[in-house]
Amino acid sequence: MAVADLEGEGTKQIVLLGQDKLVVQKMTSGKMVPAAEREAARHEKFLAVDAADTNGDKRAEIFVTAVNCHNQKLCSFVLEMADGQLKPVIEDQNWYFRAINATTVWGQQKGMKKLFLSGIRRLEIQDGQLVQAGTVNLPDKEASIYDVARGDVLNNGKRQWILSDANDHLTIFNPAGKKIWESNQSFGGSETYVKTATDKSDTDETGKKRYLSQRVYITDINQDGRREVVTVDNKSLTGRWFKRFRKYGQASLVGLAWDGLGLSERWHTREVSGYAADFVYEDIDNEGSKELAMFIVSSRGSVISDPRSCLITYDTSLAP
């Protein structure tokens, strides 16, 4: 999900993404009102959505990471909201997208055999084209664009890297790329994955698979002058012993703070039934203060029932 001012009118809209549909909604009098939507083409599978204003026109563009189901190549695209309609700006791109803030988007490409090629680029829209505007050097060359966040985790006036590995353990690196700390506990947890195309000579018909990490925010939730690490904590129904299959049934948000020895839990929300597909820290109701909002898949659907999802918001003024 993503929250941003898509129309340049000073109010923010909410973008929700499923595997086969993108929906833009507006919060009006405490209710979600549909504004626009885009269905996936038959060959498309949507993976992730972000929004940012990279060209400085005061309107955020929607960056959708998508994959071609037939050949597993990326077919990502960028949309803009105009006259109440979603219009394509850039199409069929070999880029994974991730918005770092309201004006910055990072991109990473997919190879034929490697799911994530080394090298992350800062991307901008210029004259209707997607251009590379800089390089981002990570402390771990194998990290994906979804694994990383950067901020003053230690509250010492410097920006550290925090990375999530394949087991959803968090690792902190100093600005020079030296590992400072690694968690024993798993956080995050995602059911969204990418995979390589199957090869006739490969005995593994499913191809190589890699799950995308959940978002991590490094921010001062309770406005006490000290930043926290905020992320999702999905509880697995299958445990974490199955590397190729994941399914989650309980979800919460957790805030972690540096205590001099490592990150320790400072607060967490009540666990709810379902799978937290994504979350944001944004002013989703346009009332002047940011909220934590978690997008919950409460039912994945079946032959006789439709999938169900909901958006849960939390008042951050109550955070300890």
Side-chain angles (χ1 to χ4, degrees):
M1 65 181 296
V3 177
D5 183 358
L6 305 178
E7 298 177 302
E9 297 179 349
T11 58
K12 295 182 177 181
Q13 293 79 40
I14 303 166
V15 186
L16 300 175
L17 190 78
Q19 289 188 359
D20 56 6
K21 182 184 288 189
L22 179 148
V23 178
V24 177
Q25 298 191 335
K26 297 181 180 180
M27 184 74 78
T28 303
S29 300
K31 296 182 179 181
M32 303 274 281
V33 179
E37 66 178 49
R38 182 205 190 276
E39 299 274 357
R42 294 186 64 179
H43 68 279
E44 289 177 325
K45 175 185 174 182
F46 296 158
L47 297 176
V49 65
D50 291 270
D53 176 20
T54 67
N55 60 4
D57 66 354
K58 307 301 181 183
R59 299 191 307 169
E61 290 77 35
I62 301 172
F63 292 78
V64 180
T65 302
V67 65
N68 186 312
C69 300
H70 302 314
N71 56 23
Q72 301 306 316
K73 293 182 179 180
L74 291 181
C75 53
S76 302
F77 55 91
V78 183
L79 303 172
E80 68 176 13
M81 191 86 166
D83 301 322
Q85 301 291 323
L86 289 172
K87 299 182 178 181
V89 178
I90 298 167
E91 299 183 277
D92 198 23
Q93 297 291 304
N94 182 33
W95 288 106
Y96 299 99
F97 296 128
R98 176 60 88 207
I100 303 305
N101 54 44
T103 59
T104 304
V105 169
W106 288 355
Q108 188 173 16
Q109 294 186 313
K110 184 178 183 182
M112 293 296 294
K113 294 186 177 181
K114 293 194 67 174
L115 291 173
F116 294 90
L117 296 180
S118 298
I120 291 178
R121 305 289 187 265
R122 183 166 59 85
L123 302 177
E124 292 181 356
I125 298 175
Q126 297 179 8
D127 299 324
Q129 300 293 321
L130 199 61
V131 300
Q132 301 181 33
T135 301
V136 182
N137 296 314
L138 301 180
D140 183 350
K141 293 183 179 180
E142 297 301 315
S144 86
I145 197 171
Y146 303 103
D147 299 334
V148 299
R150 195 179 188 189
D152 189 2
V153 180
L154 306 187
N155 290 289
N156 62 0
K158 300 178 181 180
R159 292 197 301 167
Q160 297 82 34
W161 289 100
I162 185 163
L163 273 66
S164 180
D165 65 17
N167 296 314
D168 294 318
H169 292 172
L170 299 178
T171 304
I172 299 174
F173 295 84
N174 67 15
K178 181 180 179 181
K179 183 187 294 187
I180 298 174
W181 176 84
E182 182 177 3
S183 70
N184 294 318
Q185 179 182 349
S186 295
F187 297 95
S190 173
E191 294 180 4
T192 301
Y193 63 85
V194 289
K195 66 178 182 179
T196 57
T198 56
D199 191 305
K200 293 181 180 180
S201 64
D202 192 347
T203 57
D204 184 358
E205 295 182 355
T206 61
K208 295 180 181 178
K209 182 188 292 186
R210 180 165 170 176
Y211 286 90
L212 308 185
S213 298
Q214 291 276 4
R215 295 183 197 270
V216 171
Y217 285 92
I218 303 170
T219 186
D220 182 6
I221 288 287
N222 62 356
Q223 302 298 309
D224 67 349
R226 295 182 61 81
R227 291 173 177 82
E228 300 143 302
V229 174
V230 183
T231 191
V232 166
D233 189 9
N234 277 314
K235 301 298 184 185
S236 177
L237 295 175
T238 59
R240 293 181 181 264
W241 299 283
F242 300 98
K243 293 184 177 181
R244 300 192 62 83
F245 176 75
R246 293 184 178 185
K247 189 173 183 179
Y248 300 94
Q250 297 286 329
S252 63
L253 294 172
V254 60
L256 310 170
W258 183 257
D259 62 8
L261 298 176
L263 291 177
S264 59
E265 183 178 308
R266 188 166 184 177
W267 55 263
H268 66 269
T269 62
R270 179 175 64 88
E271 282 193 351
V272 296
S273 296
Y275 159 62
D278 203 354
F279 83 107
V280 295
Y281 179 50
E282 289 286 352
D283 180 13
I284 69 169
D285 56 10
N286 294 294
E287 293 185 354
S289 61
K290 291 184 177 181
E291 299 85 24
L292 283 169
M294 184 165 57
F295 185 36
I296 293 289
V297 179
S298 53
S299 174
R300 294 163 180 80
S302 65
V303 176
I304 60 174
S305 64
D306 294 326
R308 296 194 306 273
S309 59
C310 63
L311 189 65
I312 301 176
T313 62
Y314 300 92
D315 183 355
T316 58
S317 67
L318 302 177

